[in-house]
Amino acid sequence: MQRVRRLVPLALVVVLGIAGLTGCRSNPAVAAYVGGQRYTVQDLDGLLDDTIALTPPEQRQGEINLGSGRQEVLQVLVLDELAAKVVAARGLRVQEITPEITVQMLGLEAGTERADAAGRNDYLRALLRMRSTMETLTQAVDPVTPTEADQREVFDSLVDQGQLAGRKFEQIQVSLTAELLGRHLGLRNVLIDAVERYHVVVNPRYAPLSLPVEIQLGSQMSAYVMISLVKR
């Protein structure tokens, strides 16, 4: 849970690679559609402001880039909505994230002003709900054997985060097995199909998009990597 608290100032970086808005859906004030659900830039700014306000000024790490902040908020909302549709279609049950559970999961002291605000924060609830739903789906999908392209994508994500200290792909490849990645890649395939089925479109300003997954490489290394949701 410490990991979630560390992400609260902006949140988990979630990037989903989906086609840009076209035709009648090219309104620049609209950030994304998931079927009939619309998310506007104004929605994102309100959630971003509310979330930043929860972090004491002395704990904030410099100025927040508005574009990046909007993208992070949007992509949590999109993944949360998309995952909920997939779960419903599969008849799976997931934990309801109430304001009380939100406060508990964030490790905040119940009854304080900050805890009450966090419990009402739609973005934080979506973040926690999305993480819980993705965990449920990960266990429900069929695992996929990773291709070399899949392994290189994960390797590149680790390199971008400075996780590998100069190690080469061939040294890491043997660890990027079906046991480690198989269900995450299975979930990726399910979500790619869902993007098309539920007519998800995202304003190009806030794309591309990918699925964040946590992997364990050895006993000492745990990291989030980004797996693209763009159909190949």
Side-chain angles (χ1 to χ4, degrees):
M1 198 46 58
Q2 181 66 28
R3 183 182 301 277
V4 174
R5 287 159 62 184
R6 189 165 60 247
L7 294 168
V8 164
L10 268 183
L12 179 63
V13 177
V14 182
V15 203
L16 299 143
I18 301 174
L21 297 172
T22 59
C24 64
R25 289 192 165 194
S26 60
N27 185 344
V30 176
Y33 295 91
V34 182
Q37 177 67 47
R38 182 179 71 171
Y39 298 103
T40 68
V41 174
Q42 185 176 8
D43 295 333
L44 304 184
D45 288 348
L47 290 173
L48 184 60
D49 288 344
D50 289 346
T51 304
I52 293 172
L54 293 172
T55 305
E58 65 274 11
Q59 295 181 18
R60 298 175 191 172
Q61 300 180 353
E63 294 295 322
I64 294 173
N65 181 283
L66 181 59
S68 298
R70 285 172 174 170
Q71 185 182 44
E72 291 185 20
V73 171
L74 174 67
Q75 297 177 47
V76 166
L77 298 178
V78 170
L79 261 188
D80 176 49
E81 182 72 17
L82 190 63
K85 291 180 179 298
V86 175
V87 161
R90 288 176 169 244
L92 300 174
R93 299 185 65 179
V94 295
Q95 180 183 19
E96 181 183 2
I97 305 298
T98 64
E100 294 76 18
I101 290 176
T102 299
V103 170
Q104 181 180 11
M105 293 180 73
L106 293 174
L108 299 175
E109 183 180 352
T112 64
E113 183 177 348
R114 185 184 183 203
D116 290 344
R120 296 191 303 269
N121 186 293
D122 289 338
Y123 169 64
L124 293 179
R125 291 177 64 186
L127 171 63
L128 297 175
R129 184 171 54 241
M130 182 270 291
R131 288 167 61 93
S132 177
T133 304
M134 290 301 180
E135 289 174 3
T136 298
L137 284 173
T138 299
Q139 298 306 312
V141 301
D142 295 326
V144 172
T145 300
T147 65
E148 182 173 327
D150 294 328
Q151 293 171 323
R152 285 192 178 276
E153 182 178 15
V154 172
F155 174 79
D156 289 344
S157 182
L158 291 168
V159 170
D160 288 344
Q161 298 177 59
Q163 295 281 355
L164 298 180
R167 298 172 71 182
K168 297 184 180 299
F169 170 70
E170 290 74 18
Q171 296 174 287
I172 301 298
Q173 184 180 19
V174 294
S175 299
L176 303 179
T177 62
E179 182 179 2
L180 181 69
L181 300 177
R183 290 193 180 277
H184 298 307
L185 295 174
L187 177 57
R188 172 203 62 186
N189 292 350
V190 167
L191 291 175
I192 287 175
D193 289 342
V195 164
E196 295 187 359
R197 183 180 310 116
Y198 298 113
H199 309 292
V200 178
V201 287
V202 173
N203 189 312
R205 295 179 185 177
Y206 309 114
L209 285 160
S210 304
L211 172 69
V213 300
E214 186 176 18
I215 62 172
Q216 187 79 32
L217 287 173
S219 60
Q220 301 298 321
M221 182 178 172
S222 177
Y224 278 99
V225 298
M226 309 305 294
I227 298 178
S228 173
L229 293 182
V230 176
K231 191 170 186 177
R232 297 176 180 176

